[in-house]
């Protein structure tokens, strides 16, 4: 264990007693810049995703923001669909799917989510890129931090923090824009007339991004992140994670290029420490698999570039499994992974089916909670219902209501003249269903209330309820 | 809170804060003993041969503690919390409630204010206004009059064209605003039991219902001497005093022989409560327009 928090001691005033401090700052991690296969994967998957994140709020459909989570109106516009609070179960499904996807991927590839797509890692690496642009690579940064404050240091550090704040602000604006409406947000902020809550959240997310990606960084993964805590449970012997091939690498040691090092009893590892210097969570992968490792592959790229220089075969540090290191073969098809994948596919299928068959109109029927079950008037038996119509479509509609009941019964329906609901409106319509007393033969029978849009007949919802009459 | 308890609370709170702060700072370091291995300090816990290192906690952990203490100080300065000290912001829960109410009033003025000047006939043709009226009705009136306004035993039907006190917009507005008191005085002591039975037969006859002709003829005499005063010589009622029309087969208390007899014998009294104390003027106007529009809803034969 070489990555423990260093302990500091301090002396009492008279030097009698020495004290050990129980709270210590971690050493700052300085990452050496490295290029390679896995870095490229991260770049070419991450940049489009980032571009999407920043660009999506600016998309407009039919004069409104395409993706807009309108909290005050409780409407969640996602492109051509609008979801409401009653679609919460869909969100729950989505989150469960995401959880199972994490389980399946973690079982198969270890913590690749953490290493490649987690915003914590992505933003941290963006911030480190800013450091490199302004202050240079690892050694230069360490020198600069250790050195005295002078004009150059102020300029370089200032540049770093300017870029950090710019990225943080852009992130906060984009994020809040999903909720506030990005065009309004930018215009309101520029005109100093934004809603105080909007201003607060932009400030909050700017600050949080700046502190998090600028200073907390890998400590979030080590101490705070709940997923990091339980992802290790999903690892098994065949999980593909970053391993150092100790059998090939040991005994490590420096050597000249081109000599027969085996004869000197050395392994392939030249002990150059590059794999440690590039590591964003500051571990030495050669100590074996550790809980901090986020499977980001930076040490793989670093080691491969060194192996290339030495003209040794690649893969001294590589994505492999414990099983392969011991037996030479990874067992990919295993019950656990198969089970996760099956459940995941099943749930994705169900989710898609739910979303596709979701009707943008919903009707609830409540029997009138009056003093009596039915009303008798002018030789008619009357039942009163309240039909709560929720128009979740993105256009206003006029609706009609009709009753479908028992064959042979002549129902009379009384309802308001025009039932017109704006997009996203919910309205409760009282209706009265009557049957002639001599016609009614049942004390109780099922009827269906059908709500349908006049101009769009496919918007229809049918609800079962009960018609109650006098005892026979 | 009396001064003593106020001081008690303040002292306890501040003493606790000071204690917590002291504990935090006193425990940020330990004295080093000479026996311990400086590289591999453990907590002394051993489970299955696994030992636990005694590494320092991260500094930001310590700073978070301090941040909570600072937050406490700021909170107690701004909001009430220290005994009788009200905080510098002057926040009170009542004040917050009044603020919210003022905001709600403002919003109502914005939405309902449009209709204050509008005549009711015009509101009754306004789609959005009727929706508001319907919602107000559902929340305040439907309990008695039914969700559809169709009434219940003892509560008038608002969807037909029969009005006790008149169905003009002004009448409806006055009914909701001031309320109504309807009284049918008991006639049993006045006309006797035989008179009650005869009068009931005549009322049945007025509605074209099955009745005893001989008794109805007797009843007509009683009606001409007593009942006509309120219900009119032809039994068509009188909206000025809320006397119902007895010829249209619409009944507030049932139209069976027994029910009619009971009404005549023992009388009825009823009250529509005044809403002016409970609802804003503009809400009353909207709901009046909705009631006005109810009798013009459509019936669909299916």
């Amino acid at each position: 264990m070489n990555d423990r928090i260093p302990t500091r001691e301090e002396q009492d005033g008279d030097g009698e007693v020495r004290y050990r401090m129980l709270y210590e700052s971690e050493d700052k991690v300085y990452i050496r810049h490295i290029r390679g296969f896995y870095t490229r994967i991260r770049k070419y998957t991450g940049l489009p995703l980032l571009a999407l994140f920043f660009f999506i709020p600016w998309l407009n459909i039919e004069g409104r923001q395409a993706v807009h989570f309108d909290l005050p109106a409780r409407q969640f516009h996602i492109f051509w669909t609008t979801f409401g609070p009653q679609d919460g179960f869909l969100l729950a499904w989505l989150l469960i799917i995401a959880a199972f996807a994490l389980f399946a991927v973690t079982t198969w590839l270890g913590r690749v989510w953490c290493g490649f797509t987690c915003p914590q890692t992505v933003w941290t690496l963006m911030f480190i890129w800013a450091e490199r642009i302004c202050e240079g690579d690892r050694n230069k940064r360490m020198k600069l931090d250790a050195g005295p404050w002078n004009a150059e240091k102020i300029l370089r550090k200032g540049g770093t923090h300017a870029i950090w704040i710019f990225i943080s602000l852009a992130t906060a604006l984009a994020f809040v824009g999903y909720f506030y409406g990005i065009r309004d947000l930018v215009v309101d902020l520029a005109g100093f007339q934004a809603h105080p809550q909007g201003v607060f959240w932009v400030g909050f997310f700017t600050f949080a991004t700046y502190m998090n990606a600028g200073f907390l960084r890998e400590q979030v993964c080590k101490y705070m992140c709940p997923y990091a805590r339980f992802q290790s449970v999903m690892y098994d012997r065949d999980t593909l994670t970053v391993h150092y091939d100790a059998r090939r690498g040991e005994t490590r040691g420096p050597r000249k290029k081109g000599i027969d090092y085996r004869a000197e009893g050395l392994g392939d590892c030249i002990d150059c420490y590059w794999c440690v210097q590039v590591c964003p969570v500051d571990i030495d992968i050669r100590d074996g698999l550790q809980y901090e490792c986020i499977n980001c592959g930076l040490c793989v790229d670093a080691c491969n570039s060194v192996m290339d220089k030495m003209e040794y075969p690649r893969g001294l540090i590589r994505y492999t499994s414990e099983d392969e290191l011991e037996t030479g073969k990874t067992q990919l098809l295993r019950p656990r992974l198969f089970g996760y994948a099956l459940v995941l596919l099943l749930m994705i299928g169900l989710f898609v089916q739910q979303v596709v068959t979701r009707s943008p109109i919903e009707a609830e029927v409540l029997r009138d909670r009056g003093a009596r079950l039915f009303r008798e008037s002018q030789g008619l038996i009357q039942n009163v219902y309240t039909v709560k119509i929720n128009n979740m479509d993105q256009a206003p509609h006029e609706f009609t209501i009709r009753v479908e009941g028992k064959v042979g019964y002549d129902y009379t329906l009384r309802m308001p003249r025009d039932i017109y609901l704006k997009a996203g409106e919910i309205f409760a319509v009282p209706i009265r269903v009557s049957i002639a007393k001599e016609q009614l033969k049942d004390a109780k029978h099922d009827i269906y209330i059908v709500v349908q849009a006049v101009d769009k007949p496919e918007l229809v919802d049918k609800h079962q309820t009960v018609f109650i009459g006098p005892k026979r | 809170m009396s001064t003593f308890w106020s001081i008690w609370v303040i002292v306890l709170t501040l003493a606790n804060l000071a204690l917590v702060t002291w504990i935090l700072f006193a425990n940020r370091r330990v004295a080093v003993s000479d026996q311990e291995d400086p590289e591999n300090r453990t907590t002394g816990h051993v489970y299955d041969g696994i030992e636990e290192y005694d590494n320092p906690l991260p500094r930001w952990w310590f700073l978070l503690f301090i941040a909570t203490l600072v937050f406490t100080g700021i909170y107690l300065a701004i909001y009430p919390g220290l005994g009788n000290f009200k905080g510098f912001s002057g926040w009170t829960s009542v004040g917050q409630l009044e603020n919210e109410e003022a905001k709600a009033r403002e919003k109502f003025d914005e939405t309902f204010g449009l209709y204050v000047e509008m005549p009711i006939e015009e509101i009754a043709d306004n789609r959005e206004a009727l929706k508001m009226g319907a919602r107000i009705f559902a929340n305040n009136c439907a309990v008695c009059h039914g969700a559809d306004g169709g009434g219940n035993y003892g509560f008038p039907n608002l969807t037909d064209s029969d009005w006790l006190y008149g169905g003009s917009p002004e009448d409806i507005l006055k009914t909701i605003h001031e309320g109504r008191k309807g009284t049918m005085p008991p006639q049993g002591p006045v006309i006797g039991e035989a008179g009650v039975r005869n009068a009931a037969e005549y009322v049945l006859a007025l509605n074209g219902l099955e009745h005893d002709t001989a008794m109805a003829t007797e009843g007509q005499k009683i009606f001409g001497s007593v009942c006509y005063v309120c219900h009119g010589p032809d039994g068509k009622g009188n909206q000025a005093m809320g006397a119902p029309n007895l010829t249209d087969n619409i009944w507030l208390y049932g139209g069976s022989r027994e029910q009619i007899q009971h009404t005549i014998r023992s009388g009825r009294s009823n009250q529509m409560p005044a809403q002016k104390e409970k609802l804003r003027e503009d809400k009353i106007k909207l709901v009046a327009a909705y009631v006005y529009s109810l009798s013009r809803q459509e019936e669909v034969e299916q």
Side-chain angles (χ1 to χ4, degrees):
Chain A
M1 291 289 282
N2 56 358
D3 56 341
R4 302 212 329 257
I5 303 176
T7 52
R8 208 159 45 83
E9 293 186 355
E10 62 177 35
Q11 304 249 322
D12 219 15
D14 49 13
E16 283 296 301
V17 191
R18 287 183 307 135
Y19 289 102
R20 186 158 55 85
M21 305 308 285
L22 291 182
Y23 298 96
E24 289 295 350
S25 293
E26 297 228 9
D27 290 345
K28 188 175 167 184
V29 182
Y30 295 92
I31 302 185
R32 177 195 278 276
H33 178 58
I34 193 79
R35 282 196 179 86
F37 177 69
Y38 294 104
T39 317
R40 271 202 300 279
I41 289 184
R42 192 172 10 255
K43 197 162 156 184
Y44 293 126
T45 53
L47 282 175
L49 287 174
L50 275 173
L52 276 182
F53 169 75
F54 285 111
F55 176 69
I56 281 177
W58 294 95
L59 283 175
N60 271 8
I61 294 177
E62 294 158 12
R64 55 161 191 82
Q65 194 168 309
V67 178
H68 186 194
F69 306 124
D70 192 348
L71 289 178
R74 289 172 185 67
Q75 291 178 339
F76 305 91
H77 306 288
I78 299 172
F79 295 107
W80 290 271
T81 342
T82 301
F83 296 94
Q86 69 282 342
D87 295 309
F89 73 97
L90 284 177
L91 178 67
W93 274 112
L94 197 64
L95 294 173
I96 294 170
I97 287 171
F100 267 90
L102 183 80
F103 300 164
V105 168
T106 307
T107 306
W108 176 31
L109 295 171
R111 286 174 62 180
V112 284
W113 162 261
C114 307
F116 287 84
T117 33
C118 179
Q120 180 68 31
T121 304
V122 172
W123 260 259
T124 296
L125 291 175
M126 269 203 277
F127 274 39
I128 289 171
W129 165 85
E131 285 183 345
R132 206 181 77 238
I133 295 294
C134 297
E135 304 169 23
D137 204 6
R138 181 169 186 269
N139 297 338
K140 281 195 179 143
R141 291 209 295 273
M142 290 166 87
K143 270 207 198 73
L144 189 72
D145 278 4
W149 281 96
N150 53 27
E152 192 203 14
K153 184 166 175 177
I154 290 170
L155 201 66
R156 285 183 181 283
K157 283 275 166 197
T160 305
H161 286 264
I163 296 177
W164 283 7
I165 288 168
F166 175 78
I167 295 176
S168 303
L169 188 62
T171 308
L173 282 174
F175 187 77
V176 176
Y178 279 91
F179 297 86
Y180 193 104
I182 189 90
R183 284 174 167 81
D184 295 347
L185 183 65
V186 172
V187 170
D188 289 359
L189 283 175
F192 293 104
Q193 51 188 10
H195 193 283
Q197 271 187 343
V199 178
F200 169 80
W201 286 114
V202 170
F204 174 85
F205 284 114
T206 306
F207 177 76
T209 311
Y210 176 77
M211 293 305 287
N212 202 359
F215 301 95
L216 277 177
R217 291 188 179 175
E218 77 286 348
Q219 299 190 52
V220 173
C221 314
K222 281 190 194 174
Y223 303 115
M224 304 180 198
C225 179
Y227 302 113
R229 283 288 141 278
F230 68 75
Q231 280 188 95
S232 49
V233 178
M234 297 155 205
Y235 277 49
D236 57 21
R237 287 174 41 78
D238 293 293
T239 304
L240 290 171
T241 53
V242 175
H243 281 280
Y244 163 71
D245 192 342
R247 265 192 288 190
R248 205 188 116 183
E250 299 299 317
T251 310
R252 57 183 92 156
R255 78 288 307 271
K256 284 203 171 60
K257 196 175 155 180
I259 61 162
D260 182 9
Y261 57 94
R262 298 263 181 219
E264 299 186 19
L266 288 172
D268 281 0
C269 174
I270 65 166
D271 212 11
C272 65
Y273 273 92
W274 272 36
C275 57
V276 180
Q277 290 171 3
V278 298
C279 180
V281 293
D282 202 24
I283 56 173
D284 187 343
I285 193 66
R286 294 171 303 172
D287 294 340
L289 183 61
Q290 288 145 71
Y291 82 91
E292 294 94 337
C293 176
I294 56 171
N295 241 10
C296 67
L298 277 166
C299 54
V300 181
D301 285 340
C303 191
N304 281 342
S305 65
V306 172
M307 291 293 113
D308 289 351
K309 281 203 188 78
M310 297 299 293
E311 290 167 5
Y312 299 165
R314 289 180 155 216
L316 173 62
I317 300 176
R318 65 181 184 273
Y319 280 93
T320 178
S321 63
E322 281 182 51
D323 207 11
E324 192 174 338
L325 287 176
E326 281 174 32
T327 65
K329 212 170 156 306
T330 300
Q331 175 128 19
L332 198 59
L333 292 170
R334 47 197 194 272
R336 181 195 294 213
L337 188 54
F338 194 73
Y340 278 141
L342 196 72
V343 173
L344 184 61
L345 285 173
L346 191 75
M347 286 196 303
I348 290 174
L350 277 171
F351 179 78
V352 169
Q353 187 248 335
Q354 285 280 358
V355 172
V356 168
T357 58
R358 180 177 162 273
S359 164
I361 166 190
E362 191 178 51
E364 286 285 334
V365 177
L366 306 161
R367 283 187 58 85
D368 193 12
R369 295 182 296 257
R372 301 143 137 224
L373 297 171
F374 61 92
R375 190 191 294 137
E376 206 173 332
S377 162
Q378 317 278 330
L380 294 169
I381 302 295
Q382 303 178 337
N383 275 222
V384 178
Y385 308 92
T386 302
V387 183
K388 209 172 201 169
I389 307 174
N390 183 355
N391 177 19
M392 296 179 279
D393 205 38
Q394 296 184 335
H397 293 289
E398 188 174 333
F399 290 96
T400 56
I401 301 176
R402 61 175 191 275
V403 179
E404 291 174 6
K406 243 173 121 155
V407 179
Y409 280 179
D410 299 317
Y411 297 94
T412 309
L413 178 71
R414 185 194 166 94
M415 60 185 180
R417 270 178 307 161
D418 67 332
I419 304 166
Y420 181 88
L421 271 78
K422 292 184 294 229
E425 192 177 11
I426 300 173
F427 186 57
V429 184
I431 63 166
R432 182 195 298 171
V433 181
S434 321
I435 309 177
K437 193 175 175 178
E438 55 268 19
Q439 210 181 52
L440 185 66
K441 297 281 177 278
D442 317 81
K444 199 170 125 179
H445 70 281
D446 288 343
I447 59 169
Y448 295 91
I449 310 280
V450 185
V451 178
Q452 194 162 25
V454 176
D455 55 332
K456 204 173 167 188
E458 66 265 30
L459 287 192
V460 63
D461 196 14
K462 194 169 171 175
H463 234 277
Q464 184 185 9
T465 182
V466 185
F467 189 97
I468 296 176
K471 277 216 170 69
R472 291 283 154 192
Chain B
M1 220 179 332
S2 69
T3 316
F4 167 76
W5 287 117
S6 173
I7 290 168
W8 173 269
V9 168
I10 293 171
V11 168
L12 262 184
T13 310
L14 294 181
N16 260 305
L17 270 180
L19 186 72
V20 169
T21 313
W22 176 78
I23 288 175
L24 183 64
F25 278 88
N27 287 295
R28 72 186 195 283
R29 56 186 201 177
V30 288
V32 180
S33 69
D34 293 335
Q35 288 91 41
E36 62 184 25
D37 163 15
E39 266 311 296
N40 298 314
R41 282 189 202 85
T42 63
T43 54
H45 304 165
V46 182
Y47 301 102
D48 298 340
I50 300 170
E51 292 180 75
E52 188 185 349
Y53 279 118
D54 185 14
N55 289 328
L57 281 168
R59 173 165 300 269
W60 54 259
W61 197 245
F62 185 71
L63 295 178
L64 273 185
F65 277 132
I66 291 173
T68 56
L69 291 169
V70 171
F71 173 84
T72 311
I74 293 172
Y75 180 92
L76 288 175
I78 294 178
Y79 292 108
L82 288 176
N84 285 334
F85 172 64
K86 293 281 172 266
F88 292 118
S89 71
W91 178 93
T92 59
S93 50
V94 173
Q96 188 173 348
L97 174 72
E98 281 165 357
N99 268 341
E100 297 288 334
E101 280 177 339
K103 262 191 216 154
R105 263 199 300 279
E106 218 170 278
K107 205 167 175 175
F108 282 145
D109 289 343
E110 219 173 281
T111 9
F112 299 147
L114 301 167
Y115 307 104
V116 173
E117 298 302 326
M118 208 185 266
I120 283 193
E121 292 91 336
E122 210 173 308
I123 300 177
D125 285 327
N126 181 314
R127 195 182 259 160
E128 291 308 310
L130 274 190
K131 268 192 209 164
M132 292 181 200
R135 290 188 177 113
I136 298 165
F137 186 91
N139 286 335
N140 297 284
C141 322
V143 177
C144 301
H145 292 284
D148 60 340
N152 267 316
Y153 180 86
F155 300 101
N157 181 348
L158 308 176
T159 60
D160 54 17
S161 48
D162 177 48
W163 298 94
L164 288 168
Y165 294 92
S168 74
E170 295 70 37
D171 290 333
I172 296 175
L173 206 54
K174 186 163 189 267
T175 301
I176 301 172
H177 209 253
E178 314 276 342
R180 300 282 186 183
K181 262 196 163 68
T183 308
M184 158 88 189
Q187 302 300 331
V190 180
I191 56 179
E193 186 53 28
V196 168
R197 285 168 192 271
N198 293 335
E201 290 307 311
Y202 178 65
V203 172
L204 285 169
L206 278 178
N207 289 284
L209 298 168
E210 175 264 321
H211 61 278
D212 182 316
T213 323
M215 286 172 83
T217 315
E218 285 300 309
Q220 186 169 9
K221 292 177 192 155
I222 296 167
F223 193 92
S225 66
V226 179
C227 317
Y228 82 97
V229 178
C230 300
H231 293 282
D234 50 3
K236 290 260 195 266
N238 177 356
Q239 293 188 339
M241 51 200 319
N245 182 347
L246 301 179
T247 65
D248 55 6
N249 202 13
I250 291 174
W251 306 95
L252 192 54
Y253 300 104
S256 72
R257 181 172 278 113
E258 293 72 25
Q259 285 167 317
I260 295 172
Q261 285 176 1
H262 184 90
T263 303
I264 299 170
R265 189 184 302 118
S266 312
R268 302 278 183 182
S269 74
N270 203 343
Q271 184 178 8
M272 157 86 193
Q275 300 297 316
K276 64 180 174 202
E277 303 296 323
K278 288 161 68 178
L279 291 175
R280 298 161 47 110
E281 286 297 317
D282 39 23
K283 279 192 176 182
I284 288 179
K285 196 153 186 184
L286 284 168
V287 83
Y290 175 72
V291 171
Y292 178 71
S293 76
L294 273 179
S295 45
R296 304 183 304 153
Q297 287 186 355
E298 58 185 8
E299 302 245 350
V300 188
E301 295 281 347
Q302 293 202 289

